[in-house]
Amino acid sequence: MEAIHVQSIHYRIPETQLGIPELLAQVDPSDLPRAYPEAVAYTEFLRETFDLDAIRVEDGLPEEVFVTEMLEAMLDEGTVDPSEIDVILLAQEDDKRQKLNLAQYVQYELDLPGAQLMTISGNHCANLDFGLQTAAQLLRGDERIRQVLLLGSVRVTDPKVRLVGTYGVIGDGAAAMVVSREPGPLELLGTCAINNGYFHDVDLNKDESLLHLKYYTQAMQGALETARMAPEDIHQVIIQNANPMLVTPCVGSLGIEESRIFLENLSRYGHLDCLDFPVNLKDYVQSETAAQGDNILAFGTGWAGSYIGTVLNIHAI
């Protein structure tokens, strides 16, 4: 199978912080998780479980300007030739965006008239994980496609939308990945995606832990098998900046030490929806812990029944 590489990852997180008590003051008590129906109790839960006191929010720049400035900074690094971007794949959900036709705006502002425009949605917090898999399929299926710009933007205006039950609290941001067949810092070794329509009617107050455990494990195990990797070959596990209560025992059940789970951004940013994947991936690769040759197992899940495991290898730091 033809090798697929991630050429560049770039992200932007707002500087402005919104404290959890201030956020919850804007939310009707009926929208709090049933397990923590009072703001004080929910705040304490987030602090004890995630060490989370605040999230990042952008209350100044319009979404399209925030995203475009991030992409211009990425291109200024010189590692990506914009003339070779043949597809812009935008991951977004209706309740977490402001700018309609954002992909068209980006195409116009960056002068990419030849790029095809596509969107990916429905996998919610795992949209960019699924997007990387889709980018690989596009590159392997059409030799005319040289590079895919995978783009995610999260901008929430309704405070209650930021609350994902006891799983996490969503902050704003933007991230991009450039994917191609040319050798790059990260090689995609395998993915395993599972979708279960049973969860189409989302109810965050319903306990479906056993089913989630099943699919979490299947997705990660499937990714390892696709990559022809054993658990002992994995150096780091990248998960979402959200409640690790379910994913941690799944990682342990696969025979991977739980100490290898990347949790540094859990309290720093809170949950960034689909941006967690590229943000945490880049931060690990740039950390002192990472080394050339490391194998990374990433896991993402979306609240409507999407699960995906991804295995990557660090080619260069």
Side-chain angles (χ1 to χ4, degrees), residues 237-287:
V237 179
I238 301 294
I239 64 172
Q240 295 170 335
N241 299 330
N243 196 330
M245 187 179 299
L246 290 181
V247 70
T248 298
C250 293
V251 169
S253 72
L254 292 173
I256 302 174
E257 296 177 7
E258 295 178 8
S259 61
R260 298 185 184 182
I261 300 176
F262 184 87
L263 297 172
E264 279 76 356
N265 287 335
L266 181 58
S267 60
R268 183 180 303 164
Y269 299 133
H271 188 26
L272 297 170
D273 197 73
C274 66
L275 309 182
D276 285 346
F277 174 45
V279 169
N280 293 347
L281 184 58
K282 178 169 185 173
D283 282 3
Y284 170 67
V285 171
Q286 293 187 334
S287 71

Side-chain angles (χ1 to χ4, degrees), residues 3-277:
I4 300 298
H5 296 261
V6 177
Q7 298 291 335
S8 178
I9 303 176
H10 208 82
Y11 71 80
R12 185 179 184 184
I13 307 298
E15 295 294 331
T16 302
Q17 297 191 36
L18 176 63
I20 297 300
E22 289 74 24
L23 169 64
L24 297 184
Q26 304 173 34
V27 177
D28 189 281
S30 64
D31 292 315
L32 296 176
R34 192 175 299 161
Y36 299 95
E38 297 181 357
V40 173
Y42 188 41
T43 300
E44 190 62 26
F45 163 75
L46 294 172
R47 183 175 294 116
E48 290 182 354
T49 308
F50 309 152
D51 192 24
L52 183 67
D53 293 311
I55 58 171
R56 302 297 183 92
V57 297
E58 179 55 49
D59 54 4
L61 291 176
E63 180 184 27
E64 61 272 21
V65 176
F66 187 87
V67 170
T68 303
E69 288 183 353
M70 175 201 69
L71 291 172
E72 289 173 341
M74 180 184 75
L75 295 177
D76 286 344
E77 293 179 348
T79 57
V80 175
D81 182 352
S83 67
E84 295 189 356
I85 295 175
D86 294 311
V87 176
I88 300 174
L89 181 55
L90 175 64
Q92 62 179 11
E93 299 291 343
D94 289 343
D95 60 348
K96 298 179 182 68
R97 70 178 186 185
Q98 289 183 338
K99 174 65 177 176
L100 295 176
N101 302 319
L102 179 59
Q104 285 87 343
Y105 181 90
V106 167
Q107 181 187 40
Y108 175 75
E109 289 295 319
L110 297 184
D111 191 22
L112 305 173
Q116 302 176 52
L117 308 180
M118 303 177 66
T119 59
I120 184 167
S121 63
N123 300 294
H124 300 277
C125 302
N127 273 334
L128 283 178
D129 306 64
F130 277 82
L132 178 58
Q133 182 187 60
T134 301
Q137 292 167 340
L138 290 170
L139 287 161
R140 288 173 175 146
D142 189 340
E143 62 182 13
R144 296 171 298 177
I145 297 176
R146 292 165 294 176
Q147 294 184 343
V148 176
L149 171 61
L150 184 57
L151 177 63
S153 175
V154 177
R155 182 69 65 86
V156 180
T157 57
D158 185 348
K160 70 180 181 183
V161 173
R162 295 192 183 277
L163 309 184
V164 192
T166 56
Y167 190 66
V169 182
I170 294 175
D172 298 333
M177 305 172 73
V178 176
V179 189
S180 78
R181 287 181 291 269
E182 296 299 319
L186 289 164
E187 181 179 357
L188 177 63
L189 300 182
T191 62
C192 177
I194 299 171
N195 290 94
N196 190 325
Y198 169 79
F199 295 104
H200 70 94
D201 188 13
V202 177
D203 183 354
L204 293 175
N205 290 305
K206 188 176 181 180
D207 185 4
E208 299 283 6
S209 300
L210 292 179
L211 274 178
H212 290 312
L213 285 168
K214 172 184 175 181
Y215 295 123
Y216 281 25
T217 306
Q218 286 184 355
M220 287 187 281
Q221 181 65 56
L224 289 173
E225 292 174 356
T226 303
R228 298 181 180 179
M229 292 272 176
E232 55 267 26
D233 297 324
I234 299 299
H235 299 86
Q236 191 74 25
V237 179
I238 301 294
I239 64 172
Q240 295 170 335
N241 299 330
N243 196 330
M245 187 179 299
L246 290 181
V247 70
T248 298
C250 293
V251 169
S253 72
L254 292 173
I256 302 174
E257 296 177 7
E258 295 178 8
S259 61
R260 298 185 184 182
I261 300 176
F262 184 87
L263 297 172
E264 279 76 356
N265 287 335
L266 181 58
S267 60
R268 183 180 303 164
Y269 299 133
H271 188 26
L272 297 170
D273 197 73
C274 66
L275 309 182
D276 285 346
F277 174 45

